[in-house]
Structures are given as structure tokens and as C-alpha cells.
Amino acid sequence: MTDGTAPHPPTAGDPPGSADPDGRRRAATRRRRLAAAGLVTVAAAVAVTLAVRGGAAPACAAPPPRAAVAALPPAAAALRPGAALPVAAAPPVGGATRSGKATFYDSEGAGGNCSRPAAPADRMYVALGPGEYASGASCGGFLDVTGPRGTVRVLVMDQCPECAPGHLDLSAEAFARIADPVQGVVKVSYRAVVNPRLPGPLTFRTKEGSSQWWFAVLVGDHGNPLRSVEVRQNGSWRAAQRQDYNYWLIASGAGPGPYEIRVTDVYGHRATAGGIRMLPGQVQRSKARMYGADPATPRPTPKKPTPTPRPQTSSPSTRTQQPTPAAPTPAATEPLVQAAAAPPARVPCS
């Protein structure tokens, strides 16, 4: 996981080869030979080291811990024995059912590669391989995972560097919902949840170290994976860039705030929250929901018309029953006024 600091500038490349084609071919040949010689030298050094240690290596060594693998450079991680070949990165979306396998792990309460302040309270979460984690594009979305014992809904919270596409690394609690933990690995099917029920309005957390000259924000409680985050500055919207640790960055800053932030998810839902302040490390809950109505807001109850008493007349000699007038009809505009006062219909949630 990167921490948002600026990378070192690239070093200058090798000087160009000879101007003639034969010179370029000879230079390329020399480079390939030098590279091959370097590989042979490294292999020989490894062989000598093993020989000095004396002891046979195990036939199937345990994989390194997740933190160690995540710390490897991309090239080294790709060359690990058993590592999956690179694939086009894309988050699971659209609700299509996929097949794969599931294992489990424990984040020990941490919020994972998606930079959540902590694991969800119900501890139902999942880590995805690089292909489906997609450099943070899956963060904050939900999956329904079905195994031998049933189905569980989990939050995408972490990355599993050694997992191939289709390999879900569930929390231990989520795995126990769908299979016997003694099995360790089980076949599963899973699908992205479209418009899951939201716990509340959007939340925002500016990263530690943020200022008016360097702006990074984490968006929470958006339900579906996000497509874009924009910050309004000087009357126009500036696009923030998603980082693989799930913060949205404007490297040149967005001013001192308060901020107006516009959030759009992969299905086109859009919400704008205002009054977000520069409070690094603090979670701020806005009043803007990504979609759907606030379940705490009651719907107005239409008033029933008041019945009109039936007038009667009488005299000392006779008592004549007067005809009963028809009940007054509500004005034609009254239902329209009531419909306008009602909040918009809720968006169906999965």
C-alpha cells in the first residue's frame, strides 16, 4: 500500500546506441548477453548459499505473509512462484454471477487496503485479488457470496496480492457463514450487489497531512463502487484522482475549504455534499445520500375530510325531514398538493 507521498523522479535512461542499424543490433545483443550473464550469476549465488546452508529446501514452502508480499516491488511480486499472470483490472459490477473459490483471513480490526478507519462492526468483509481490486476501484462496494451453507453479504475492504481473479479472501466470520472453517478452501459463487441498502448519508475523511496545498479525501457509505469524485473550486469542478489506497487526491490542493464535493458511482448515481471542512483524520457525516430516501423521514399522512352534520327542521305541529345534502367534494387540486408534498419514491435496494 502506498501512503500518498510523491514518487522519486525517474532516472535518466541508457545513452542511445550507435547511429547505424548494425551498431544498434550489436548494442542490443550485448545488453541481452549482459542480462543473461546477470541472471546466471544470481542463480549461481543462490545455489552456493543453499549449498553452504546444507539442508534440503521443502518441496512446498508456505507463501509469505500478505504484508510482505504487498511490500514487494511490482516486478518482484509478478515473478513470485505461483503468481498469476497480469489480467485487465476491473471491479465486479452489474450483478452478474461469477464462480470461484474462497479462503479466509483476519484483518485484526484494521480497515485494509481501502484505508477504512476500522473493519465494519459486523466484520463481514472481503479482500480481492489485484485484477478485481482494480487499484481501489472496488473499495466500498458489496458482494453476495454463496457457499455450501448459504449466502453472506460482504464489504470490499482489502486487497489480496496473491489472489487470482475469482479467489475471494473472506473474513473468518463471513467464511463461517457459508462453510465449515475446517475446510479452509471452498467453491463459491458471487455477484456484485447493485444499490445495497445504505447505512446513512455520505461520509468524508481528509487524510492526515492534508492542507490547502495538498488535498486527499476518503469517501464512505456510498454503496456502489465510485466512478469519480470532484471538488468545487473557484466556481468550477476539479476532478480528484483515485489512489490505490482509496483516497481521492488533488496534488496541488483545493484551497482551505469548506468544500463542496460531488460524488458519482459506477451506475450514474450522483450526490453533492457541502460544508466539508479541512479536519485531517476526522470522519465527517454529510446530509447527502448517494441514492434512496432517508428511512428516518416519515411520510406525511393525508388528512381525512371532516363529516358535515345533517341539518334538520321541526315545528310544533309537524316535523318535516329535509333532504340530506351530499358530502362536499374535495377540490380537484387537493390530491396534487398532497402528491407534491410527499417525498420521492425510494430507489429499490438489493
PDB file of all heavy atoms in Angstrom, residues 5-21:
ATOM      1  N   THR A   5       2.685   9.698  -0.729  1.00  0.00           N
ATOM      2  CA  THR A   5       3.810  10.591  -0.944  1.00  0.00           C
ATOM      3  C   THR A   5       4.221  10.579  -2.399  1.00  0.00           C
ATOM      4  O   THR A   5       3.985   9.608  -3.121  1.00  0.00           O
ATOM      5  CB  THR A   5       5.005  10.175  -0.069  1.00  0.00           C
ATOM      6  OG1 THR A   5       5.319   8.803  -0.362  1.00  0.00           O
ATOM      7  CG2 THR A   5       4.647  10.290   1.404  1.00  0.00           C
ATOM      8  N   ALA A   6       4.872  11.649  -2.832  1.00  0.00           N
ATOM      9  CA  ALA A   6       5.253  11.760  -4.236  1.00  0.00           C
ATOM     10  C   ALA A   6       6.390  10.817  -4.541  1.00  0.00           C
ATOM     11  O   ALA A   6       7.320  10.665  -3.748  1.00  0.00           O
ATOM     12  CB  ALA A   6       5.670  13.192  -4.550  1.00  0.00           C
ATOM     13  N   PRO A   7       6.371  10.129  -5.682  1.00  0.00           N
ATOM     14  CA  PRO A   7       7.463   9.210  -6.041  1.00  0.00           C
ATOM     15  C   PRO A   7       8.712   9.979  -6.400  1.00  0.00           C
ATOM     16  O   PRO A   7       8.669  11.170  -6.731  1.00  0.00           O
ATOM     17  CB  PRO A   7       6.896   8.464  -7.248  1.00  0.00           C
ATOM     18  CG  PRO A   7       5.926   9.419  -7.845  1.00  0.00           C
ATOM     19  CD  PRO A   7       5.333  10.188  -6.700  1.00  0.00           C
ATOM     20  N   HIS A   8       9.880   9.281  -6.322  1.00  0.00           N
ATOM     21  CA  HIS A   8      11.125   9.897  -6.743  1.00  0.00           C
ATOM     22  C   HIS A   8      11.109  10.113  -8.243  1.00  0.00           C
ATOM     23  O   HIS A   8      10.539   9.328  -8.991  1.00  0.00           O
ATOM     24  CB  HIS A   8      12.300   8.997  -6.363  1.00  0.00           C
ATOM     25  CG  HIS A   8      12.465   8.865  -4.882  1.00  0.00           C
ATOM     26  ND1 HIS A   8      12.863   9.910  -4.072  1.00  0.00           N
ATOM     27  CD2 HIS A   8      12.257   7.807  -4.057  1.00  0.00           C
ATOM     28  CE1 HIS A   8      12.919   9.492  -2.821  1.00  0.00           C
ATOM     29  NE2 HIS A   8      12.546   8.232  -2.784  1.00  0.00           N
ATOM     30  N   PRO A   9      11.765  11.191  -8.725  1.00  0.00           N
ATOM     31  CA  PRO A   9      11.785  11.415 -10.181  1.00  0.00           C
ATOM     32  C   PRO A   9      12.508  10.289 -10.877  1.00  0.00           C
ATOM     33  O   PRO A   9      13.448   9.704 -10.333  1.00  0.00           O
ATOM     34  CB  PRO A   9      12.525  12.757 -10.317  1.00  0.00           C
ATOM     35  CG  PRO A   9      13.311  12.885  -9.057  1.00  0.00           C
ATOM     36  CD  PRO A   9      12.510  12.208  -7.987  1.00  0.00           C
ATOM     37  N   PRO A  10      12.097   9.955 -12.089  1.00  0.00           N
ATOM     38  CA  PRO A  10      12.751   8.868 -12.818  1.00  0.00           C
ATOM     39  C   PRO A  10      14.182   9.216 -13.154  1.00  0.00           C
ATOM     40  O   PRO A  10      14.523  10.381 -13.386  1.00  0.00           O
ATOM     41  CB  PRO A  10      11.888   8.725 -14.087  1.00  0.00           C
ATOM     42  CG  PRO A  10      11.233  10.050 -14.241  1.00  0.00           C
ATOM     43  CD  PRO A  10      11.039  10.587 -12.857  1.00  0.00           C
ATOM     44  N   THR A  11      15.039   8.201 -13.169  1.00  0.00           N
ATOM     45  CA  THR A  11      16.438   8.408 -13.531  1.00  0.00           C
ATOM     46  C   THR A  11      16.586   8.393 -15.032  1.00  0.00           C
ATOM     47  O   THR A  11      15.769   7.838 -15.755  1.00  0.00           O
ATOM     48  CB  THR A  11      17.312   7.308 -12.915  1.00  0.00           C
ATOM     49  OG1 THR A  11      16.824   6.048 -13.349  1.00  0.00           O
ATOM     50  CG2 THR A  11      17.243   7.364 -11.392  1.00  0.00           C
ATOM     51  N   ALA A  12      17.658   8.976 -15.495  1.00  0.00           N
ATOM     52  CA  ALA A  12      17.880   9.046 -16.942  1.00  0.00           C
ATOM     53  C   ALA A  12      18.126   7.667 -17.498  1.00  0.00           C
ATOM     54  O   ALA A  12      18.733   6.801 -16.866  1.00  0.00           O
ATOM     55  CB  ALA A  12      19.074   9.951 -17.231  1.00  0.00           C
ATOM     56  N   GLY A  13      17.699   7.422 -18.714  1.00  0.00           N
ATOM     57  CA  GLY A  13      17.870   6.112 -19.340  1.00  0.00           C
ATOM     58  C   GLY A  13      19.271   5.920 -19.862  1.00  0.00           C
ATOM     59  O   GLY A  13      20.153   6.787 -19.762  1.00  0.00           O
ATOM     60  N   ASP A  14      19.533   4.754 -20.440  1.00  0.00           N
ATOM     61  CA  ASP A  14      20.846   4.465 -21.004  1.00  0.00           C
ATOM     62  C   ASP A  14      21.095   5.367 -22.193  1.00  0.00           C
ATOM     63  O   ASP A  14      20.181   5.742 -22.919  1.00  0.00           O
ATOM     64  CB  ASP A  14      20.915   3.003 -21.445  1.00  0.00           C
ATOM     65  CG  ASP A  14      20.845   2.078 -20.240  1.00  0.00           C
ATOM     66  OD1 ASP A  14      21.241   2.523 -19.145  1.00  0.00           O
ATOM     67  OD2 ASP A  14      20.392   0.931 -20.408  1.00  0.00           O
ATOM     68  N   PRO A  15      22.330   5.716 -22.446  1.00  0.00           N
ATOM     69  CA  PRO A  15      22.619   6.549 -23.627  1.00  0.00           C
ATOM     70  C   PRO A  15      22.259   5.802 -24.884  1.00  0.00           C
ATOM     71  O   PRO A  15      22.335   4.580 -24.942  1.00  0.00           O
ATOM     72  CB  PRO A  15      24.138   6.804 -23.525  1.00  0.00           C
ATOM     73  CG  PRO A  15      24.652   5.706 -22.656  1.00  0.00           C
ATOM     74  CD  PRO A  15      23.555   5.372 -21.693  1.00  0.00           C
ATOM     75  N   PRO A  16      21.870   6.536 -25.942  1.00  0.00           N
ATOM     76  CA  PRO A  16      21.475   5.876 -27.182  1.00  0.00           C
ATOM     77  C   PRO A  16      22.624   5.129 -27.810  1.00  0.00           C
ATOM     78  O   PRO A  16      23.793   5.462 -27.615  1.00  0.00           O
ATOM     79  CB  PRO A  16      20.992   7.040 -28.062  1.00  0.00           C
ATOM     80  CG  PRO A  16      21.667   8.249 -27.479  1.00  0.00           C
ATOM     81  CD  PRO A  16      21.800   7.993 -26.032  1.00  0.00           C
ATOM     82  N   GLY A  17      22.311   4.119 -28.591  1.00  0.00           N
ATOM     83  CA  GLY A  17      23.328   3.301 -29.246  1.00  0.00           C
ATOM     84  C   GLY A  17      23.887   3.986 -30.466  1.00  0.00           C
ATOM     85  O   GLY A  17      23.685   5.158 -30.739  1.00  0.00           O
ATOM     86  N   SER A  18      24.636   3.227 -31.258  1.00  0.00           N
ATOM     87  CA  SER A  18      25.266   3.752 -32.463  1.00  0.00           C
ATOM     88  C   SER A  18      24.218   4.205 -33.450  1.00  0.00           C
ATOM     89  O   SER A  18      23.109   3.709 -33.477  1.00  0.00           O
ATOM     90  CB  SER A  18      26.149   2.662 -33.085  1.00  0.00           C
ATOM     91  OG  SER A  18      26.655   3.092 -34.322  1.00  0.00           O
ATOM     92  N   ALA A  19      24.580   5.145 -34.316  1.00  0.00           N
ATOM     93  CA  ALA A  19      23.609   5.682 -35.262  1.00  0.00           C
ATOM     94  C   ALA A  19      23.255   4.699 -36.349  1.00  0.00           C
ATOM     95  O   ALA A  19      22.185   4.757 -36.936  1.00  0.00           O
ATOM     96  CB  ALA A  19      24.156   6.974 -35.885  1.00  0.00           C
ATOM     97  N   ASP A  20      24.145   3.750 -36.650  1.00  0.00           N
ATOM     98  CA  ASP A  20      23.846   2.816 -37.741  1.00  0.00           C
ATOM     99  C   ASP A  20      23.088   1.620 -37.223  1.00  0.00           C
ATOM    100  O   ASP A  20      23.214   1.256 -36.052  1.00  0.00           O
ATOM    101  CB  ASP A  20      25.157   2.356 -38.405  1.00  0.00           C
ATOM    102  CG  ASP A  20      26.032   1.574 -37.441  1.00  0.00           C
ATOM    103  OD1 ASP A  20      26.645   2.195 -36.518  1.00  0.00           O
ATOM    104  OD2 ASP A  20      26.087   0.351 -37.577  1.00  0.00           O
ATOM    105  N   PRO A  21      22.265   0.964 -38.070  1.00  0.00           N
ATOM    106  CA  PRO A  21      21.455  -0.181 -37.611  1.00  0.00           C
ATOM    107  C   PRO A  21      22.293  -1.312 -37.050  1.00  0.00           C
ATOM    108  O   PRO A  21      21.935  -1.940 -36.062  1.00  0.00           O
ATOM    109  CB  PRO A  21      20.683  -0.598 -38.866  1.00  0.00           C
ATOM    110  CG  PRO A  21      20.680   0.625 -39.730  1.00  0.00           C
ATOM    111  CD  PRO A  21      21.970   1.337 -39.452  1.00  0.00           C
TER     112      PRO A  21
END
